[in-house]
Amino acid sequence: MRSGSDAPPLTPAGRRIVDAAEELFYERGITAVGVDLIAEHSGVTKRTLYNRFGSKDNLVAAYLTERDRRWRSEVRAAVAASGSAEDAVTAPFEALRSWTSTHTRGCAFLNALAELPDPQHPGHRVAADQKRWLRGLFEELATAAGCHGPAALATRLFVLHEGAVATEPLSLGTVAAAADLARELVRAAVRMT
């Protein structure tokens, strides 16, 4: 199975399988959920599941790829809706605020990295690529906004973002606090130029 934009469109059965896998993997954990349960929840046979995805590992990658596609779309929309280049740098925090209102079990990618430590696992690769993309986006946006030290700022914003998403399930308001701190960091970096 290929992931990303080179993957063929999902059949209706494939879509049901990915949807069921997403719900189950996110709610119960990747290693705790077997293909029997996914097949049952998606209304297909195990044979159909294996014919479409080949293995549970590939299904995990498909689930994470689909989730990544939606997350990137939400982040890009937040960036596009920003009022200025400076506001765009912190747009991923605004996207996170919206995202965590409906995704309450933390970050699926951090969860996957914890459950799938082997860097060769296709799901691990998708999750790691998602994190690298976000860090790179922060640098790209900081550069476009004329921030001083865009690479260092991007790393700080990334760490702040990841800390917020990891702690948001504690209901401590960490996403809002992180967004405020991110804006302060960006304003300071813009003033330095």
Side-chain angles (χ1 to χ4, degrees):
M1 190 211 94
R2 293 170 294 196
S3 64
S5 60
D6 65 337
L10 290 174
T11 63
R15 167 60 42 212
R16 287 194 315 275
I17 294 166
V18 170
D19 290 346
E22 177 167 7
E23 177 185 335
L24 292 166
F25 288 152
Y26 186 66
E27 291 298 320
R28 300 182 188 187
I30 293 168
T31 57
V33 173
V35 293
D36 289 327
L37 186 60
I38 295 166
E40 179 186 323
H41 276 255
S42 61
V44 302
T45 64
K46 276 186 10 181
R47 181 178 180 164
T48 299
L49 187 150
Y50 281 114
N51 282 343
R52 173 58 183 101
F53 297 98
S55 68
K56 179 182 173 183
D57 291 350
N58 288 339
L59 179 55
V60 170
Y63 142 64
L64 291 169
T65 297
E66 177 63 19
R67 196 169 183 95
D68 182 35
R69 182 195 61 74
R70 288 194 319 272
W71 168 243
R72 289 184 195 210
S73 177
E74 189 142 338
V75 170
R76 287 184 185 115
V79 169
S82 298
S84 67
E86 186 177 323
D87 290 341
V89 181
T90 59
F93 288 90
E94 297 310 314
L96 182 60
R97 187 185 314 252
S98 169
W99 186 269
T100 57
S101 69
T102 58
H103 299 87
T104 58
R105 291 190 39 86
C107 177
F109 305 104
L110 289 177
N111 296 345
L113 289 170
E115 286 195 71
L116 309 169
D118 179 2
Q120 298 308 309
H121 189 287
H124 180 100
R125 287 194 304 264
V126 173
D129 287 347
Q130 188 277 332
K131 296 304 178 188
R132 284 190 278 278
W133 171 81
L134 184 59
R135 170 30 192 94
L137 178 65
F138 277 126
E139 185 171 357
E140 176 187 317
L141 296 170
T143 300
C147 293
H148 175 75
L153 176 62
T155 297
R156 289 181 185 119
L157 293 172
F158 176 71
V159 168
L160 187 59
H161 187 278
E162 295 306 292
V165 74
T167 57
E168 183 61 17
L170 300 174
S171 300
L172 299 173
T174 55
V175 171
D180 291 344
L181 183 53
R183 282 189 289 279
E184 289 176 26
L185 290 171
V186 170
R187 281 194 297 270
V190 168
R191 283 195 303 268
M192 295 175 81
T193 59

